[in-house]
Amino acid sequence: MLELSHIQKSFDGVSVLKDISIQVNDGEIISILGPSGCGKSTLAKHFNAILLPSGGKVYVCGIDTANEDRLITIRRNVGMVFQNPDNQFVSTIVGEDVAFGLENYGVPENEIPARVAAALAAVDMAGYENRATHTLSGGQKQRVALAGVLALSPDILVFDEATAMLDPDGRQEVLRTIRRLHTQQRKTVVMITHYIEEAIGADRVYLIHNGKMIADGTAREMLTQPELLAAAGLTPPMPVQMYYDLKQAGIVLARCPLTLEELAEELCRSQ
């Protein structure tokens, strides 16, 4: 679905991305994880040709993003949700905003209301068509921004720090929506984040630091190695840190837990 081959990107002679390769298969959820300022958002803009690489190639469903004749197809295949939903809104009314992309792509007018309603229902915002966007909570705004993307039926959803500006409740609203879209609609999902907990459910995790890809593997392989995470400027999930703290104290659990549920299970077994 997505292939980045030896991507490099420079601005005014300054190298921002250095030889990054990523492959995303149909139906996967992957996480691109790294601290703020490591180049993640610059990388994200290559997924639907907002930016083109200075070196290397990006392919979306087999299409080279440098092919200007296929730009509309590329952008309909890859839906982008950014950090600040207010920056994605083009209307002050929810329904009008979700409809904007459909109108822009020439969808027949009589089809638009049903597609707007379906997109809002998919993100648990049914019935909000006539609400003003400024009256929504942060989590609701982000879900409306996502509805505007879903209305165009992209196969791939890219979330660029989509929860970074939200409070804990808003973050959980958006994360639940993303997981549901992945499991129920089989959307291919790319989560770009500096929150290590958001990478736990990914099929594959890519660690980026200072514009370089330093490692990739399953979530369990990547997130249970404190030294590797430290090299990427990250701290381990709390259950992983607890495992190593207990080990240092002479209490060795059967496996390193990734989640609080796994930690509780291992602690019960160790009794």
Side-chain angles (χ1 to χ4, degrees):
M1 297 295 281
L2 278 172
E3 183 180 358
L4 285 73
S5 179
H6 302 289
I7 293 303
Q8 300 178 51
K9 185 64 177 178
S10 299
F11 295 100
D12 298 324
V14 177
S15 180
V16 177
L17 300 177
K18 307 158 189 174
D19 195 28
I20 291 180
S21 295
I22 294 173
Q23 183 171 308
V24 184
N25 298 315
D26 187 17
E28 280 189 324
I29 180 167
I30 76 155
S31 179
I32 298 174
L33 185 62
S36 297
C38 72
K40 301 188 303 297
S41 291
T42 299
L43 180 62
K45 292 179 175 67
H46 285 76
F47 291 154
N48 73 342
I50 294 174
L51 292 177
L52 296 177
S54 305
K57 287 289 184 180
V58 179
Y59 298 95
V60 173
C61 301
I63 304 169
D64 187 341
T65 58
N67 185 344
E68 293 184 6
D69 294 336
R70 304 296 302 279
L71 189 57
I72 291 176
T73 301
I74 289 167
R75 290 185 175 167
R76 291 195 72 165
N77 273 311
V78 181
M80 302 283 294
V81 181
F82 297 100
Q83 183 177 120
N84 188 344
D86 289 321
N87 291 341
Q88 288 191 247
F89 292 152
V90 295
S91 172
T92 58
I93 303 300
V94 167
E96 293 176 2
D97 188 81
V98 176
F100 176 79
L102 297 170
E103 295 166 349
N104 204 36
Y105 280 109
V107 173
E109 189 174 342
N110 63 329
E111 295 180 17
I112 291 176
R115 289 182 65 166
V116 168
L120 286 170
V123 298
D124 288 336
M125 292 294 288
Y128 281 74
E129 285 87 342
N130 296 317
R131 282 281 295 273
T133 54
H134 76 269
T135 67
L136 304 178
S137 69
Q140 289 173 329
K141 285 181 178 181
Q142 197 61 287
R143 284 186 283 148
V144 168
L146 174 54
V149 170
L150 287 176
L152 295 171
S153 300
D155 294 318
I156 305 161
L157 298 174
V158 178
F159 298 88
D160 181 19
E161 298 278 16
T163 66
M165 297 184 66
L166 304 180
D167 62 24
D169 288 342
R171 281 185 65 202
Q172 291 308 312
E173 287 176 19
V174 172
L175 291 173
R176 281 193 296 269
T177 302
I178 293 170
R179 294 186 192 107
R180 188 172 65 251
L181 291 170
H182 175 246
T183 56
Q184 295 181 5
Q185 296 190 19
R186 295 305 299 163
K187 294 292 186 184
T188 301
V189 174
V190 179
M191 289 281 292
I192 297 169
T193 182
H194 65 271
Y195 291 118
I196 199 162
E197 293 81 6
E198 294 182 4
I200 288 173
D203 295 308
R204 195 159 193 85
V205 175
Y206 292 85
L207 297 179
I208 294 184
H209 187 58
N210 289 337
K212 296 180 181 178
M213 188 74 68
I214 65 171
D216 69 276
T218 67
R220 193 168 296 279
E221 289 169 342
M222 295 294 98
L223 305 184
T224 57
Q225 300 185 60
E227 291 183 2
L228 176 61
L229 293 172
L234 300 164
T235 56
M238 189 276 282
V240 173
Q241 188 60 57
M242 178 82 71
Y243 169 84
Y244 284 100
D245 288 345
L246 289 170
K247 186 175 181 180
Q248 190 171 15
I251 302 170
V252 181
L253 303 180
R255 66 168 178 166
C256 181
L258 263 182
T259 65
L260 291 174
E261 291 78 10
E262 289 181 359
L263 176 60
E265 288 175 10
E266 294 304 321
L267 290 171
C268 290
R269 288 174 184 162
S270 68
Q271 298 300 316

